Amino acid sequence: MNANIAVIGMGVMGSCLALNMANHNFKVSVYNYTPDLTDKFIKNHPHKNITAYYDIQSLINSVARPRKFFIMVTAGKAVDSVIDSLLPHLDPDDIIMDGGNSFYKDTQRRYDYVTSKGFKYFGIGVSGGEEGALNGPALMPGGNAESYKEIQPVMEAIAAKADDGKPCCTYIGEDGAGHYVKMVHNGIEYADMQLIAEAYLLLKNVGNLSNEQISQIFHEWNQGELSSFLISITADILKETDDMAEGYLVDKILDSAGQKGTGRWTSIAALEQGVNTSIMTSACNARNISSFYAKRQQFADSDLKQTLPVEIDENFVEDVRRSLYTAKIAAYTQGFELYKSASEIHNWHLDLGSVASIFRAGCIIKAKFLNNITNAYQKNPNLENLLEDDFFFHKVQENQQSLRKTIAKAVSFGVPIPAFSNAMAYIDGLCTKTVGANLIQAQRDYFGAHTYKRIDREGTFHHQWQKHY
Ligand SMILES: NC(=O)C1=CN([C@@H]2O[C@H](COP(=O)(O)OP(=O)(O)OC[C@H]3O[C@@H](n4cnc5c(N)ncnc54)[C@H](OP(=O)(O)O)[C@@H]3O)[C@@H](O)[C@H]2O)C=CC1
Ligand SMILES: O=C(CO)[C@H](O)[C@H](O)COP(=O)(O)O
């Protein structure tokens, strides 16, 4: 068979992507380094456009030139190992693609390595989970620009389609750009999920609402400006009854969340770049503190926490909704600031409007709201901060009092809401002329002669600080 493409890695994502390609009439060769997974896949999903191979040489021989290999294996050493197994057998201009959640610096290294051998390399961000991989994910390809035309037909065919029919796939930029964009997508995903979890906690613990009531609230929110995949699945999750015992499943799930690393990488990249992604970082930290489950139970049983009474008025649920929307705007603003900074540092020329537009369908953070972000960057591709766009400026102006009220109630009641709080602190930090950094400058100059800058004249100065006490 002269296949159009080979998919390597028959795990959850690789097998679904292979089926998606085959369903779009591409001839697909599939391979997994352990044969059992390949056998299982072929047995469960026989398809006229899919052929399985059990040795790498036969797999390579089966693909039409320039050959295209889509690797979908566990991120890390497995990717290097698959690349090394391919390289000795390739012809010039053959293309290796890595669709896993690889760290973008690994992708930059692999891009240089594979390109130096005369072949082409793409790091492709894939989002949408199992369902997206099968029926249409959002795809973020980064790599050799001149070879993009070779992979574009298959990528655009399998990608999700937004409401305007456009594929949720666009060439992102050179080397690690695609994986960088996916990494920050996941950072935003962490923030979105944490904000939703905080809204849930407030409705449950402060509002004293039942799972059924909260599910209905999320379902209603999903009909309006908060409409998104994550809000819709939250409404479903809260309504789900346990299949092993009485009651709701969500109440039986351990209150402790793990993480594979992409959210943490986003925060580290942001700190390296000097960009504030406090809402994403607070989401990572919230997962961290959730994992100290036993310690939290111990402290909760002590009377260390002292709270204040809270009055709930009839606007409480609407205030939580407005808080969630405002904080979500702040989280995306931080994410897109990070993209802008990375684009300048790495010379990627990221088209932020296109990035927002490919998140409109297929991916985990897909949301109605992404149309507004796309519009903002279409109006002004050089927008420095999303809050400078009229739409977002007015939304934050209209809704922020709700966020202030909600945070005050949560703090009084002792409900931890780090993402909401960081969103407010970010907005206030941006909108405040004096943030206390004059004192920080003075302290640095006092203890380390680091010098300081003045408001009334150019230059840097050092002062002989006196001990007054
Ligand atoms: N699941 C999701 O929702 C999403 C996942 N991703 C990313 O996609 C990638 C794959 O994820 P997923 O399909 O969920 O993971 P799975 O665990 O289902 O599959 C992993 C695959 O990698 C193979 N593999 C593991 N080690 C090696 C190795 N040393 N050499 C060759 N192949 C190896 C496995 O083969 P075997 O089982 O035989 O060891 C299997 O085919 C990851 O990078 C993940 O982060 C991206 C977006 C969404
Ligand atoms: O990439 C994804 C979705 O976009 C994956 O689901 C990702 O693995 C989720 O990250 P984590 O396990 O750290 O929550």
Side-chain angles (χ1 to χ4, degrees), residues 44-118:
N44 292 341
H45 305 281
H47 197 296
K48 69 177 170 56
N49 291 333
I50 297 182
T51 309
Y53 292 87
Y54 294 87
D55 70 282
I56 204 86
Q57 186 65 69
S58 314
L59 176 87
I60 292 168
N61 292 343
S62 73
V63 190
R65 289 185 176 82
R67 302 185 185 98
K68 299 165 197 75
F69 302 94
F70 198 100
I71 304 172
M72 203 61 186
V73 302
T74 314
K77 288 201 174 84
V79 179
D80 292 307
S81 146
V82 174
I83 291 171
D84 284 337
S85 70
L86 290 171
L87 285 183
H89 311 287
L90 300 189
D91 289 331
D93 296 330
D94 283 352
I95 300 168
I96 298 178
M97 293 165 265
D98 167 23
N101 275 335
S102 292
F103 184 44
Y104 78 98
K105 287 186 184 175
D106 285 337
T107 303
Q108 289 177 314
R109 169 178 58 76
R110 289 172 187 141
Y111 171 92
D112 288 342
Y113 176 59
V114 172
T115 305
S116 75
K117 305 259 178 213

Side-chain angles (χ1 to χ4, degrees), residues 191-235:
D192 247 343
M193 292 167 74
Q194 178 62 26
L195 290 168
I196 292 171
E198 291 178 14
Y200 154 69
L201 207 58
L202 284 161
L203 296 173
K204 183 179 151 109
N205 290 358
V206 183
N208 218 10
L209 298 170
S210 68
N211 288 330
E212 281 286 344
Q213 287 171 312
I214 305 172
S215 166
Q216 192 56 39
I217 288 168
F218 276 105
H219 176 65
E220 279 160 25
W221 290 356
N222 198 41
Q223 314 311 309
E225 61 192 1
L226 271 173
S227 172
S228 65
F229 172 72
L230 285 169
I231 295 278
S232 80
I233 66 166
T234 304

Side-chain angles (χ1 to χ4, degrees), residues 42 59 63 79 89 95 115 119 130 254 260 281 322 327 348 370 388 395 400 410 435-436:
I42 287 295
L59 176 87
V63 190
V79 179
H89 311 287
I95 300 168
T115 305
F119 313 118
E130 189 175 3
L254 187 69
K260 289 209 188 93
T281 306
R322 285 169 178 257
W348 281 331
L370 280 152
E388 286 172 286
K395 286 292 176 189
Q400 71 184 273
V435 291

Side-chain angles (χ1 to χ4, degrees), residues 9-13 32-34 37 72-75 78 100-101 126 129:
M10 288 291 100
V12 173
M13 295 296 284
N32 196 77
Y33 83 133
T34 57
L37 221 54
M72 203 61 186
V73 302
T74 314
N101 275 335
V126 176

